[in-house]
Amino acid sequence: MMKTRITVLCENTVGKLVGLGEHGFSAFIETDRGNYLFDTGTGRSVVENSLALGKDLRSVRKIFLSHGHYDHSGGLAEVLKLRGEVDVHAHPHVFLDRKAVHKENGKDKIKFVGLPFKRGYLETLGARFILKTDFHQVEEGMFLTGEVPRITPFEKPSTTLFTEINGKTAQDVFLDDQALILDTDKGLILILGCAHAGMINTVQHVIQKTGKEKFFAILGGTHLDFMDPEQLEESINVLKRMDLARISVCHCTGMRAASRLHQEFGDRFTYGCVGSVIEV
Ligand SMILES: [Fe+2]
Ligand SMILES: [Fe+2]
């Protein structure tokens, strides 16, 4: 793949002069072959930011969903209203009911955090769902990881996130959590949604499946601030041993974890705010 430009469309913070921040993630991908969208934010900023940043959502050839959380999938309806019929690649579990539990004044507060639309409605708007569980090529030089094997001992599932299957609530294991890989002349670019499968598990899966170890960039959400501090430090240890030119995390990475990564990676680190760009 020759030219690749990835622009963060939705993210928690706005670092440039234009755009809206929201708790969510979306990245607009421009290549020689055409444009693509990875995740869609919650729906509140994706269209507004696409206009502010001059990215035409009507031009996307394919949409990829990292997982079923509303802050990545909720903007799909708004995008489809503009784009019409388009392939939407995801894991079949993207439609599961999702819950998050937070303590508020000592009491558990439960919030629905899944995809906020029914599959049929999204299909009416033009979504052609392509649901796969395994690593696969989505275009020449572009791959989805599919399910990521949990290998590292230090990456643990979140204790506050749950799924509801047939009325039964269980800890969310996020089989649907996947990342996108772009194989560029300067190395692999790995775009993470929330990395619920673990950033390092995802990296190892990518190396195993592609046979390549040279990474130009890792960007997106890492969920590290929500996890044990040990997970952040162990992840940094692995990242430092990698052939990695840029790291541009954001969204659920959180400010503390992002600061630690900046401290370790210096000039190789950028914060992936709305409007930030990774380019090859
Ligand atoms: Fe997220
Ligand atoms: Fe998530």
Side-chain angles (χ1 to χ4, degrees):
M1 191 180 287
M2 298 289 284
K3 275 182 81 180
T4 305
R5 169 188 267 255
I6 301 157
T7 307
V8 174
L9 209 52
C10 304
E11 206 280 299
N12 304 37
T13 60
V14 178
K16 306 279 172 186
L17 294 174
V18 293
L20 289 175
E22 66 168 14
H23 176 76
F25 184 71
S26 174
F28 193 88
I29 302 156
E30 293 161 274
T31 75
D32 292 334
R33 212 164 283 120
N35 302 333
Y36 304 86
L37 191 67
F38 179 82
D39 284 347
T40 63
T42 69
R44 272 178 277 181
S45 74
V46 68
V47 174
E48 173 121 8
N49 288 358
S50 74
L51 295 171
L53 295 163
K55 308 297 172 194
D56 191 348
L57 290 171
R58 296 169 303 180
S59 72
V60 299
R61 288 162 58 95
K62 290 177 185 193
I63 299 172
F64 311 112
L65 295 179
S66 65
H67 64 303
H69 273 157
Y70 75 102
D71 53 323
H72 299 254
S73 61
L76 186 54
E78 294 306 310
V79 175
L80 291 169
K81 284 176 200 168
L82 286 172
R83 176 62 184 86
E85 272 195 40
V86 67
D87 289 351
V88 180
H89 291 252
H91 184 285
H93 282 193
V94 78
F95 299 109
L96 288 183
D97 280 336
R98 253 69 202 230
K99 290 174 179 176
V101 179
H102 295 291
K103 285 258 183 256
E104 221 174 82
N105 301 326
K107 281 188 188 150
D108 281 348
K109 204 171 172 210
I110 300 167
K111 191 181 159 202
F112 174 79
V113 292
L115 175 56
F117 304 105
K118 284 208 177 354
R119 178 176 178 170
Y121 172 63
L122 296 166
E123 285 173 339
T124 307
L125 294 176
R128 289 188 301 252
F129 284 103
I130 297 172
L131 303 173
K132 291 189 178 170
T133 57
D134 294 335
F135 181 93
H136 62 284
Q137 180 168 302
V138 288
E139 280 289 3
E140 201 185 325
M142 293 176 80
F143 307 87
L144 279 172
T145 60
E147 291 177 16
V148 173
R150 276 48 168 184
I151 293 166
T152 64
F154 55 84
E155 290 176 308
K156 310 251 164 52
S158 175
T159 53
T160 59
L161 298 171
F162 299 87
T163 39
E164 198 175 286
I165 308 171
N166 302 329
K168 283 207 170 119
T169 301
Q171 190 174 35
D172 201 336
V173 292
F174 290 104
L175 289 183
D176 55 332
D177 184 80
Q178 61 179 345
L180 184 74
I181 303 140
L182 307 175
D183 191 2
T184 80
D185 297 343
K186 290 191 180 170
L188 301 176
I189 297 178
L190 177 61
I191 312 178
L192 304 164
C194 271
H196 291 295
M199 174 171 49
I200 304 304
N201 282 330
T202 306
V203 164
Q204 289 187 349
H205 184 55
V206 169
I207 292 171
Q208 203 249 321
K209 286 292 179 187
T210 61
K212 298 187 179 188
E213 299 196 9
K214 184 179 164 67
F215 285 74
F216 179 68
I218 296 177
L219 64 141
T222 67
H223 224 69
L224 284 168
D225 238 7
F226 296 95
M227 314 310 285
D228 209 336
E230 185 209 350
Q231 181 167 332
L232 170 62
E233 296 308 317
E234 294 286 348
S235 301
I236 286 171
N237 287 339
V238 177
L239 290 170
K240 280 169 78 177
R241 292 197 299 269
M242 285 173 60
D243 185 357
L244 172 63
R246 304 259 162 87
I247 181 154
S248 185
V249 294
C250 59
H251 179 46
C252 56
T253 299
M255 284 300 166
R256 279 178 306 181
S259 302
R260 273 291 291 130
L261 289 163
H262 184 207
Q263 199 175 30
E264 291 293 337
F265 291 92
D267 288 346
R268 289 192 284 160
F269 175 94
T270 49
Y271 190 82
C273 57
V274 170
S276 65
V277 173
I278 289 281
E279 205 168 7
V280 170

